[in-house]
Coordinates of all heavy atoms in Angstrom, one line a residue:
V74 N -78.3 -92.0 -90.7 CA -77.4 -92.0 -91.8 C -78.1 -92.3 -93.1 O -79.1 -93.1 -93.2 CB -76.3 -93.0 -91.6 CG1 -76.8 -94.4 -91.5 CG2 -75.2 -93.0 -92.7
F75 N -77.7 -91.6 -94.2 CA -78.3 -91.9 -95.5 C -77.1 -92.2 -96.5 O -76.2 -91.4 -96.6 CB -79.0 -90.6 -96.0 CG -79.9 -90.9 -97.2 CD1 -81.1 -91.6 -97.0 CD2 -79.5 -90.5 -98.5 CE1 -81.9 -91.8 -98.1 CE2 -80.3 -90.8 -99.6 CZ -81.5 -91.4 -99.4
Q76 N -77.2 -93.4 -97.1 CA -76.2 -93.9 -98.0 C -76.5 -93.4 -99.4 O -77.6 -93.5 -99.8 CB -76.1 -95.4 -97.9 CG -76.1 -96.2 -99.2 CD -74.7 -96.5 -99.6 OE1 -73.8 -96.6 -98.8 NE2 -74.4 -96.7 -100.9
L77 N -75.5 -92.9 -100.1 CA -75.7 -92.4 -101.5 C -74.7 -93.0 -102.5 O -73.5 -93.0 -102.1 CB -75.6 -90.9 -101.5 CG -76.6 -90.1 -100.6 CD1 -75.9 -89.1 -99.8 CD2 -77.7 -89.5 -101.5
R78 N -75.1 -93.3 -103.7 CA -74.2 -93.6 -104.7 C -74.5 -92.6 -105.9 O -73.8 -92.7 -106.9 CB -74.2 -95.0 -105.2 CG -75.4 -95.4 -106.0 CD -75.3 -96.8 -106.5 NE -76.2 -97.2 -107.6 CZ -77.2 -98.0 -107.5 NH1 -77.5 -98.6 -106.3 NH2 -78.0 -98.3 -108.5
N79 N -75.5 -91.8 -105.7 CA -75.8 -90.8 -106.8 C -76.1 -89.4 -106.0 O -76.2 -89.4 -104.8 CB -77.0 -91.2 -107.6 CG -76.6 -92.2 -108.7 OD1 -75.7 -92.0 -109.5 ND2 -77.2 -93.4 -108.6
P80 N -76.3 -88.3 -106.8 CA -76.7 -87.1 -106.1 C -78.0 -87.2 -105.3 O -78.8 -88.0 -105.6 CB -76.8 -86.1 -107.3 CG -76.0 -86.7 -108.4 CD -76.2 -88.2 -108.2
V81 N -78.1 -86.3 -104.3 CA -79.4 -86.2 -103.6 C -80.4 -85.6 -104.5 O -80.2 -84.6 -105.1 CB -79.2 -85.3 -102.3 CG1 -80.5 -85.1 -101.6 CG2 -78.2 -85.9 -101.4
H82 N -81.6 -86.3 -104.6 CA -82.7 -85.6 -105.3 C -83.8 -85.2 -104.3 O -83.6 -85.4 -103.1 CB -83.3 -86.5 -106.4 CG -83.8 -87.9 -105.9 ND1 -84.8 -88.0 -105.1 CD2 -83.5 -89.1 -106.3 CE1 -85.1 -89.3 -104.9 NE2 -84.3 -90.0 -105.6
N83 N -84.8 -84.6 -104.8 CA -85.8 -84.0 -103.9 C -86.4 -85.1 -102.9 O -86.7 -84.8 -101.7 CB -86.9 -83.3 -104.7 CG -87.9 -82.5 -103.8 OD1 -87.4 -81.7 -103.1 ND2 -89.2 -82.8 -103.9
G84 N -86.7 -86.3 -103.4 CA -87.3 -87.3 -102.6 C -86.3 -87.7 -101.5 O -86.8 -87.9 -100.3
H85 N -85.0 -87.8 -101.8 CA -84.0 -88.1 -100.7 C -84.1 -87.0 -99.7 O -84.1 -87.3 -98.5 CB -82.6 -88.1 -101.3 CG -82.4 -89.2 -102.3 ND1 -81.4 -89.1 -103.3 CD2 -82.9 -90.4 -102.4 CE1 -81.4 -90.3 -103.9 NE2 -82.3 -91.1 -103.5
A86 N -84.0 -85.7 -100.1 CA -84.0 -84.6 -99.2 C -85.2 -84.6 -98.2 O -85.1 -84.4 -97.0 CB -83.9 -83.3 -99.9
L87 N -86.4 -84.9 -98.8 CA -87.6 -84.9 -98.0 C -87.6 -86.0 -97.0 O -88.0 -85.9 -95.9 CB -88.8 -85.0 -98.9 CG -89.2 -83.8 -99.8 CD1 -90.3 -84.2 -100.8 CD2 -89.6 -82.6 -98.9

Side-chain angles (χ1 to χ4, degrees):
V74 61
F75 194 75
Q76 137 94 25
L77 299 129
R78 76 174 194 250
N79 281 304
V81 174
H82 60 60
N83 189 56
H85 294 154
L87 291 172

